[in-house]
Amino acid sequence: MEVFAVLFLFIIGLTCGSFFNVVGLRVPKKITFMNDRSKCPSCRRELAWYELIPVLSFVLQKGKCRNCDMKISYMYPVIELLTGILFAWSYIMIGFNFELLKALFLVSLCVIVFVTDMKYMLIPNKILLFFLPFFVILSFIAPLEPWWSPLVGAAAGMGIIALIIIVSRGGMGAGDMKLFGVLGIVLGLEKVLIAFFLSCLFGSVIGILLILFRIIKRKQPVPFGPYIVVATLLTYFFGDDIIQAYLTWLKI
Ligand SMILES: [Zn+2]
């Protein structure tokens, strides 16, 4: 049965990932995504159901539109696959309970933010405001230890980024700050601090590499959301191990 549950969540994840692509690409541009069929952005032809199967359609069509041969971004299948894997992983790590719901919402928020920030360097308020009430309710149903951790976590997350914005004058954006506020509710105080530290670490290491290999120019603005998202998911799933490893390292 276990295998079926993992497979089930993987397929749900693939499908949600496909939807998150659409949400992430359309919400920042204020295009409706509800009653609108997906079209090829190049030839405007409406896509048939068999062109909308996550990952599989992309592979079968060799990453091109069937009508006009325009290349389809590899980001679509990557995001779909990633969401599938993260949904299945959430179940493997957590099992079937309310915490799983929290994990699935967190993965969903992270994937959408990854898409919007990579594509538009934007973390829309609409997305954050959509997820906020779910996290607040779930922090009562599946509470953290101690009970005030989500509250202080949200405040600390926003506070640190606010400070960085003031000191660095634009190193990070208001979107990053609000995102950390929402993440603080899910992660709690301890883990939001770890997520912050890790995102800065990833951001500076990868940033330096990108400049060294001349993929980006110095002082070219880059989205910080993707680093936050990766750091958050690592911290959410492995935060206790990270804390444990750090404490062991301190004793040596
Ligand atoms: Zn086309």
Side-chain angles (χ1 to χ4, degrees):
M1 278 320 275
E2 198 73 348
V3 180
F4 283 110
V6 173
L7 202 67
F8 177 70
L9 271 142
F10 178 67
I11 291 167
I12 297 282
L14 285 180
T15 317
C16 286
S18 175
F19 178 63
F20 297 159
N21 268 318
V22 176
V23 171
L25 293 175
R26 291 189 187 181
V27 166
K29 295 191 106 183
K30 298 192 168 62
I31 310 171
T32 56
F33 55 86
M34 283 307 179
N35 311 306
D36 198 12
R37 296 288 303 270
S38 291
K39 292 185 186 117
C40 166
S42 172
C43 65
R44 310 299 300 161
R45 186 180 55 94
E46 274 194 6
L47 300 179
W49 65 270
Y50 52 81
E51 292 168 280
L52 294 167
I53 306 166
V55 184
L56 205 64
S57 296
F58 183 89
V59 175
L60 290 176
Q61 291 168 218
K62 299 191 179 75
K64 282 185 240 164
C65 169
R66 289 164 60 90
N67 188 43
C68 68
D69 265 4
M70 195 202 69
K71 270 196 167 178
I72 304 166
S73 166
Y74 67 89
M75 280 295 275
Y76 287 98
V78 167
I79 293 292
E80 288 161 357
L81 209 58
L82 211 66
T83 314
I85 292 168
L86 285 168
F87 270 37
W89 179 251
S90 302
Y91 174 74
I92 292 168
M93 288 288 281
I94 294 163
F96 198 73
N97 54 46
F98 277 114
E99 187 63 37
L100 176 64
L101 209 55
K102 209 192 263 184
L104 296 182
F105 273 113
L106 182 66
V107 167
S108 305
L109 170 65
C110 285
V111 171
I112 296 173
V113 164
F114 186 85
V115 174
T116 63
D117 212 20
M118 283 291 270
K119 180 83 183 170
Y120 305 110
M121 291 202 35
L122 210 74
I123 300 171
N125 286 333
K126 235 185 206 173
I127 300 293
L128 296 175
L129 285 172
F130 174 84
F131 282 95
L132 181 65
F134 289 107
F135 290 138
V136 172
I137 293 166
L138 281 168
S139 71
F140 284 102
I141 301 174
L144 292 176
E145 193 64 50
W147 65 268
W148 44 261
S149 195
L151 209 67
V152 184
M158 286 184 83
I160 294 172
I161 310 295
L163 208 67
I164 290 180
I165 292 174
I166 295 165
V167 172
S168 74
R169 288 181 196 157
M172 284 185 198
D176 300 322
M177 182 182 79
K178 286 175 269 183
L179 174 62
F180 257 113
V182 175
L183 294 175
I185 298 171
V186 186
L187 296 174
L189 178 61
E190 249 178 0
K191 287 187 184 172
V192 84
L193 296 177
I194 299 175
F196 167 74
F197 172 74
L198 284 181
S199 58
C200 292
L201 184 72
F202 297 155
S204 36
V205 170
I206 295 173
I208 290 168
L209 286 177
L210 289 177
I211 292 168
L212 277 180
F213 287 99
R214 292 167 197 261
I215 297 167
I216 58 167
K217 291 189 191 81
R218 275 194 70 186
K219 299 206 169 174
Q220 179 180 340
V222 284
F224 195 64
Y227 302 116
I228 301 176
V229 161
V230 172
T232 296
L233 290 176
L234 276 177
T235 310
Y236 178 77
F237 288 116
F238 303 107
D240 295 325
D241 299 326
I242 296 171
I243 295 170
Q244 208 53 52
Y246 182 65
L247 290 178
T248 323
W249 179 71
L250 275 188
K251 273 174 204 154
I252 295 168

